[in-house]
């Protein structure tokens, strides 16, 4: 063996420690259907300033079209993000800017790090235009996706929203799933009661929200809305649901499992441990859905806030995390999730390279793994083990699916009688910190099922 090859394999083995011990995981599947995973559950989230480049979300971008279709034939693209609070719109009617709004746009242009989440050709002094919306419609028709469109409630007022939304509705038509007003408004200064207030004033936001809706519906009477798209404030979600009820397409908020990205303690072990505020968010979302009768969608989610953690968010560990994250949320009846990214950001599922090409990151394959369950009825399922393994069972089109995600260092053998697998899909990689070599492959099932350390399988029968 050549020395370079030997060193490469040795480093890979060191990066993915595995115990020689084999655990047996007993799987118990009940008769109760927990939820049906919607066919449009899978989604991506981008800064809406990506529309400054009208050729990005366009049929001209064949690599991106293929990447979106490879994730889902009916996904949801959310355009919002932090930059949506300081973006510019320009139509034949003008830019609708006031001196105060111009200052907000300029501050965002200079200070916000999120520009890294736009492709390299985006110019910070650009604007969203009707031409970009026309390109976006072609992109949606080519991919089968729909759009959640964020309206700027900081640098843009209701008059701008009326003009912008009218163009969005005209361009997207049935490809528009919903408008949202503001991104993470619970963190915006105008809704804070004091400098130390961690969660803003919902009543003030809701008055502004109503003004935006009224303005938009002057131009587009049937325009669909959702919200409130908060960073953390699930009490806002509940209050919004109670006020809007079924007038809202869905309720929405965000979640990052760890962070910030510059903290070295935010590592793969922590990401795969499952420690986050998810349990409380699940409980609060369930209450909000019950109170309003409206579904809940996680419109912005990823592994590590403030841009991601190098060697974790852009590596294979993120694929295992994502597969589990998506199925866990599907099993509690959520409407969908949107993985945030774009450009060459550390946590983006799809990289926009400098040369204009599209590259698939490890996270993308975790999304593909979960997509196998789109349209499936998720059943009550328990993995009886002390190992770091989760299990998800489902029925789909006369078939049974059983996913096992092994996020630990021990190899596991599966003991179950629920499904007799004819095929098996495996998610593997050379190492937890591997940025290439991630494989998602389906083969014929043979013999007993073993799930190696840090890997995932779907038994199909």
């Amino acid at each position: 063996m050549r020395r370079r090859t030997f060193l490469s394999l040795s480093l890979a083995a060191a990066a993915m420690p595995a115990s020689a011990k084999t655990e047996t995981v007993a799987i118990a599947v009940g008769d109760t259907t927990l939820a049906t995973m919607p066919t449009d559950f899978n989604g991506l989230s981008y800064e809406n300033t990506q529309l400054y480049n009208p050729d990005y979300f366009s049929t001209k971008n064949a690599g991106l079209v293929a990447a979106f279709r490879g994730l889902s034939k009916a996904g949801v693209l959310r355009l919002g993000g932090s930059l949506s609070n300081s973006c510019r719109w320009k139509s034949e009617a003008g830019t609708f800017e006031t001196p105060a709004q111009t200052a907000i746009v300029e501050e965002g242009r200079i200070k916000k790090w999120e520009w890294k989440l736009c492709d390299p050709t985006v110019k910070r002094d650009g604007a969203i235009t009707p031409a970009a919306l026309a390109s976006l419609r072609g992109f949606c028709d080519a991919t089968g996706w729909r759009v959640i469109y964020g309206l700027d409630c900081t640098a843009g007022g209701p008059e701008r929203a009326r003009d912008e939304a009218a163009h969005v509705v005209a361009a997207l038509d049935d490809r528009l799933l919903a408008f949202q007003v503001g991104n993470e408004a619970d963190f915006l200064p105008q809704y804070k009661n004091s400098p130390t207030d961690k969660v803003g004033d919902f009543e003030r936001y809701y008055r502004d929200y109503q003004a935006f809706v009224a303005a938009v519906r002057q131009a587009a009477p049937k325009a669909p809305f959702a919200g409130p798209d908060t960073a953390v404030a699930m009490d806002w979600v509940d209050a919004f649901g109670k006020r809007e009820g079924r007038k809202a397409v869905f309720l929405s908020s965000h979640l990052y499992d760890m962070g910030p990205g510059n903290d070295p303690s935010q590592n793969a072990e922590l990401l795969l441990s499952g420690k986050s505020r998810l349990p409380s968010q699940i409980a609060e979302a369930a209450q909000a859905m019950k109170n309003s009768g409206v579904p809940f969608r996680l419109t912005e989610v990823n592994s590590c806030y403030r841009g991601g953690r190098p060697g974790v968010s852009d590596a294979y560990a993120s694929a295992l995390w994502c597969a589990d994250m998506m199925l866990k949320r599907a099993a509690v009846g959520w409407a969908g999730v949107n993985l945030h990214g774009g450009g060459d950001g550390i946590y983006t599922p799809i990289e926009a390279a400098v040369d204009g090409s599209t590259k698939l990151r490890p996270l993308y394959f975790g999304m593909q793994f979960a997509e196998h369950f789109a349209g499936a009825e998720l059943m009550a399922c328990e993995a009886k083990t002390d190992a770091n393994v989760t299990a998800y069972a489902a029925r789909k089109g006369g078939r049974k699916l059983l996913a096992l995600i092994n996020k630990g260092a021990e190899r596991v053998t599966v003991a179950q009688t629920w499904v007799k697998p004819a095929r098996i899909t495996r998610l593997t990689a050379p190492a937890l910190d591997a940025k290439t070599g991630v494989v998602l492959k389906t083969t014929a099932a043979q013999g007993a099922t073993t799930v190696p350390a840090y890997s995932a399988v779907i038994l199909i029968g």
Side-chain angles (χ1 to χ4, degrees), residues 202-224:
F202 172 76
E203 295 300 332
R204 293 172 65 189
Y205 166 77
Y206 189 66
R207 286 196 295 270
D208 285 350
Y209 170 83
Q210 289 177 302
F212 272 72
V213 172
V216 168
R217 287 191 170 148
Q218 289 176 2
K222 296 183 179 179

Side-chain angles (χ1 to χ4, degrees), residues 292-308:
S292 65
V294 180
F296 177 83
R297 187 173 188 102
L298 194 63
T299 46
E300 184 178 318
V301 60
N302 217 305
S303 56
C304 185
Y305 70 84
R306 295 293 297 177

Side-chain angles (χ1 to χ4, degrees), residues 139-151:
F139 182 85
C140 290
D141 287 342
T143 58
W145 285 46
R146 292 187 292 170
V147 172
I148 299 167
Y149 194 96
L151 296 170

Side-chain angles (χ1 to χ4, degrees), residues 340-364:
H340 196 54
D344 64 351
I346 294 167
Y347 55 35
T348 187
I350 303 171
E351 177 186 347
V354 175
D355 62 5
S357 64
T358 293
K359 297 182 180 178
L360 306 180
R361 295 275 186 83
L363 183 59
Y364 179 93

Side-chain angles (χ1 to χ4, degrees), residues 374-390:
E377 295 180 339
L378 286 137
M379 315 296 294
C381 183
E382 180 183 4
K384 299 179 180 179
T385 179
D386 292 329
N388 189 6
V389 175
T390 50

